[in-house]
Amino acid sequence: QVQLVESGGGLVQPGGSLTLTCAASGFTFSDSYMSWYRQALGKERELVASVSLKGHTKYYASSVKDRFTIARDNAKNSVYLQMYFLRPDDAAVYYCNSPSSWPSGPPRFGSWGQGTQVSVSL
């Protein structure tokens, strides 16, 4: 009964901002590393960012470093991705999951959420 529900996507202009939310349930969230992934049209799914158990340590793919911020709220079983200075190549469906090991191990859960679409266009 693991559930990962992503929300917050939408259409923004280049240079715009967006905040994504992942609501998690069905596992011990506070004992789980969490990550955001994205999959652009015609491309493979890629890791975007990871956050440690208490949120003290963060990892970012080089393509988003200094533009995105990952955070978590264990009391709400939620992970967030704040996205700034969005580029057209950030357009993708964004998903959350839990990496098996820090920071980029294979996702633990075979059942992915529906994802949330981020579109960056004029």
Side-chain angles (χ1 to χ4, degrees):
Q1 295 179 340
V2 170
Q3 286 193 258
L4 300 165
V5 181
E6 301 91 350
S7 62
L11 174 63
V12 296
Q13 297 182 161
S17 303
L18 208 57
T19 297
L20 310 182
T21 298
C22 169
S25 62
F27 63 100
T28 305
F29 182 82
S30 60
D31 288 345
S32 303
Y33 304 128
M34 293 299 295
S35 297
W36 282 96
Y37 305 79
R38 68 186 182 188
Q39 186 168 28
L41 185 64
K43 296 186 178 180
E44 295 187 13
R45 182 171 285 156
E46 64 175 343
L47 177 68
V48 175
S50 298
V51 61
S52 60
L53 304 184
K54 295 184 178 181
H56 297 322
T57 305
K58 300 172 182 182
Y59 165 85
Y60 300 97
S62 60
S63 59
V64 308
K65 188 175 178 62
D66 300 323
R67 298 189 300 117
F68 292 9
T69 299
I70 188 171
R72 69 190 298 159
D73 187 340
N74 287 347
K76 297 181 178 179
N77 277 24
S78 294
V79 189
Y80 310 96
L81 186 68
Q82 299 176 90
M83 312 164 70
Y84 309 100
F85 305 106
L86 283 161
R87 305 167 177 167
D89 60 332
D90 293 319
V93 179
Y94 284 71
Y95 303 88
C96 60
N97 211 306
S98 177
S100 302
S101 58
W102 181 261
S104 58
R108 291 168 59 198
F109 305 124
S111 179
W112 295 78
Q114 83 284 2
T116 187
Q117 173 74 237
V118 172
S119 300
V120 185
S121 176
L122 295 172

